[in-house]
mmCIF file of all heavy atoms in Angstrom:
data_model
loop_
_atom_site.group_PDB
_atom_site.id
_atom_site.type_symbol
_atom_site.label_atom_id
_atom_site.label_comp_id
_atom_site.label_asym_id
_atom_site.label_seq_id
_atom_site.Cartn_x
_atom_site.Cartn_y
_atom_site.Cartn_z
ATOM 1 N N ALA L 60 102.922 87.384 117.578
ATOM 2 C CA ALA L 60 102.303 86.595 116.521
ATOM 3 C C ALA L 60 101.945 85.226 117.068
ATOM 4 O O ALA L 60 102.688 84.648 117.866
ATOM 5 C CB ALA L 60 103.263 86.469 115.345
ATOM 6 N N GLY L 61 100.811 84.710 116.669
ATOM 7 C CA GLY L 61 100.381 83.392 117.107
ATOM 8 C C GLY L 61 99.466 83.423 118.317
ATOM 9 O O GLY L 61 98.851 82.404 118.653
ATOM 10 N N THR L 62 99.350 84.576 118.959
ATOM 11 C CA THR L 62 98.491 84.641 120.142
ATOM 12 C C THR L 62 97.054 84.267 119.774
ATOM 13 O O THR L 62 96.556 84.602 118.699
ATOM 14 C CB THR L 62 98.533 86.060 120.760
ATOM 15 O OG1 THR L 62 99.867 86.343 121.158
ATOM 16 C CG2 THR L 62 97.612 86.179 121.969
ATOM 17 N N ILE L 63 96.438 83.536 120.681
ATOM 18 C CA ILE L 63 95.039 83.099 120.523
ATOM 19 C C ILE L 63 94.185 83.981 121.431
ATOM 20 O O ILE L 63 94.442 84.058 122.634
ATOM 21 C CB ILE L 63 94.916 81.629 120.953
ATOM 22 C CG1 ILE L 63 95.762 80.748 120.043
ATOM 23 C CG2 ILE L 63 93.449 81.182 120.973
ATOM 24 C CD1 ILE L 63 96.171 79.427 120.688
ATOM 25 N N PHE L 64 93.190 84.632 120.860
ATOM 26 C CA PHE L 64 92.324 85.514 121.645
ATOM 27 C C PHE L 64 90.974 84.856 121.885
ATOM 28 O O PHE L 64 90.308 84.419 120.940
ATOM 29 C CB PHE L 64 92.133 86.859 120.931
ATOM 30 C CG PHE L 64 93.400 87.652 120.812
ATOM 31 C CD1 PHE L 64 94.256 87.470 119.725
ATOM 32 C CD2 PHE L 64 93.773 88.539 121.805
ATOM 33 C CE1 PHE L 64 95.436 88.175 119.621
ATOM 34 C CE2 PHE L 64 94.965 89.249 121.722
ATOM 35 C CZ PHE L 64 95.802 89.065 120.623
ATOM 36 N N LEU L 65 90.597 84.817 123.145
ATOM 37 C CA LEU L 65 89.311 84.284 123.567
ATOM 38 C C LEU L 65 88.471 85.510 123.905
ATOM 39 O O LEU L 65 88.799 86.225 124.846
ATOM 40 C CB LEU L 65 89.560 83.407 124.796
ATOM 41 C CG LEU L 65 88.536 82.427 125.291
ATOM 42 C CD1 LEU L 65 88.098 81.478 124.186
ATOM 43 C CD2 LEU L 65 89.149 81.614 126.440
ATOM 44 N N VAL L 66 87.434 85.763 123.108
ATOM 45 C CA VAL L 66 86.709 87.031 123.214
ATOM 46 C C VAL L 66 85.249 86.731 123.517
ATOM 47 O O VAL L 66 84.497 86.294 122.635
ATOM 48 C CB VAL L 66 86.830 87.830 121.897
ATOM 49 C CG1 VAL L 66 86.284 89.242 122.080
ATOM 50 C CG2 VAL L 66 88.276 87.883 121.432
ATOM 51 N N VAL L 67 84.837 86.932 124.769
ATOM 52 C CA VAL L 67 83.513 86.452 125.167
ATOM 53 C C VAL L 67 82.675 87.559 125.780
ATOM 54 O O VAL L 67 82.815 87.932 126.937
ATOM 55 C CB VAL L 67 83.639 85.282 126.171
ATOM 56 C CG1 VAL L 67 82.256 84.685 126.404
ATOM 57 C CG2 VAL L 67 84.598 84.212 125.667
ATOM 58 N N VAL L 68 81.794 88.096 124.950
ATOM 59 C CA VAL L 68 80.654 88.896 125.435
ATOM 60 C C VAL L 68 79.490 88.235 124.721
ATOM 61 O O VAL L 68 79.421 88.284 123.498
ATOM 62 C CB VAL L 68 80.770 90.380 125.070
ATOM 63 C CG1 VAL L 68 79.557 91.147 125.569
ATOM 64 C CG2 VAL L 68 82.052 90.969 125.633
ATOM 65 N N ASP L 69 78.624 87.599 125.455
ATOM 66 C CA ASP L 69 77.787 86.580 124.816
ATOM 67 C C ASP L 69 76.378 86.535 125.390
ATOM 68 O O ASP L 69 75.971 85.535 125.985
ATOM 69 C CB ASP L 69 78.493 85.226 125.001
ATOM 70 C CG ASP L 69 77.920 84.141 124.108
ATOM 71 O OD1 ASP L 69 77.143 84.460 123.184
ATOM 72 O OD2 ASP L 69 78.254 82.963 124.351
ATOM 73 N N PRO L 70 75.607 87.617 125.197
ATOM 74 C CA PRO L 70 74.242 87.591 125.749
ATOM 75 C C PRO L 70 73.384 86.464 125.166
ATOM 76 O O PRO L 70 72.400 86.061 125.796
ATOM 77 C CB PRO L 70 73.672 88.972 125.389
ATOM 78 C CG PRO L 70 74.607 89.569 124.397
ATOM 79 C CD PRO L 70 75.928 88.903 124.546
ATOM 80 N N GLY L 71 73.772 85.933 124.014
ATOM 81 C CA GLY L 71 72.965 84.876 123.396
ATOM 82 C C GLY L 71 73.415 83.468 123.778
ATOM 83 O O GLY L 71 73.042 82.493 123.132
ATOM 84 N N VAL L 72 74.202 83.343 124.842
ATOM 85 C CA VAL L 72 74.742 82.031 125.205
ATOM 86 C C VAL L 72 73.618 80.981 125.342
ATOM 87 O O VAL L 72 72.565 81.268 125.912
ATOM 88 C CB VAL L 72 75.583 82.112 126.514
ATOM 89 C CG1 VAL L 72 74.759 82.515 127.717
ATOM 90 C CG2 VAL L 72 76.326 80.800 126.779
ATOM 91 N N GLY L 73 73.861 79.822 124.794
ATOM 92 C CA GLY L 73 72.890 78.745 124.902
ATOM 93 C C GLY L 73 71.849 78.748 123.798
ATOM 94 O O GLY L 73 71.076 77.797 123.670
ATOM 95 N N THR L 74 71.804 79.797 122.983
ATOM 96 C CA THR L 74 70.888 79.804 121.846
ATOM 97 C C THR L 74 71.629 79.242 120.629
ATOM 98 O O THR L 74 72.760 78.763 120.733
ATOM 99 C CB THR L 74 70.375 81.224 121.562
ATOM 100 O OG1 THR L 74 71.493 82.059 121.218
ATOM 101 C CG2 THR L 74 69.678 81.812 122.783
ATOM 102 N N GLN L 75 70.987 79.335 119.470
ATOM 103 C CA GLN L 75 71.557 78.668 118.294
ATOM 104 C C GLN L 75 72.714 79.400 117.628
ATOM 105 O O GLN L 75 73.231 78.918 116.624
ATOM 106 C CB GLN L 75 70.452 78.414 117.260
ATOM 107 C CG GLN L 75 69.512 77.300 117.687
ATOM 108 C CD GLN L 75 70.250 75.990 117.942
ATOM 109 O OE1 GLN L 75 71.082 75.582 117.148
ATOM 110 N NE2 GLN L 75 69.956 75.344 119.069
ATOM 111 N N ARG L 76 73.097 80.567 118.138
ATOM 112 C CA ARG L 76 74.198 81.281 117.467
ATOM 113 C C ARG L 76 75.447 80.391 117.420
ATOM 114 O O ARG L 76 75.693 79.595 118.296
ATOM 115 C CB ARG L 76 74.481 82.628 118.150
ATOM 116 C CG ARG L 76 74.872 82.559 119.608
ATOM 117 C CD ARG L 76 76.309 82.689 119.806
ATOM 118 N NE ARG L 76 76.700 82.394 121.178
ATOM 119 C CZ ARG L 76 76.812 81.167 121.665
ATOM 120 N NH1 ARG L 76 76.526 80.109 120.926
ATOM 121 N NH2 ARG L 76 77.222 80.976 122.898
#
Side-chain angles (χ1 to χ4, degrees):
Chain L
T62 299
I63 297 156
F64 295 88
L65 196 54
V66 190
V67 188
V68 179
D69 194 12
V72 64
T74 62
Q75 287 303 314
R76 60 101 190 78

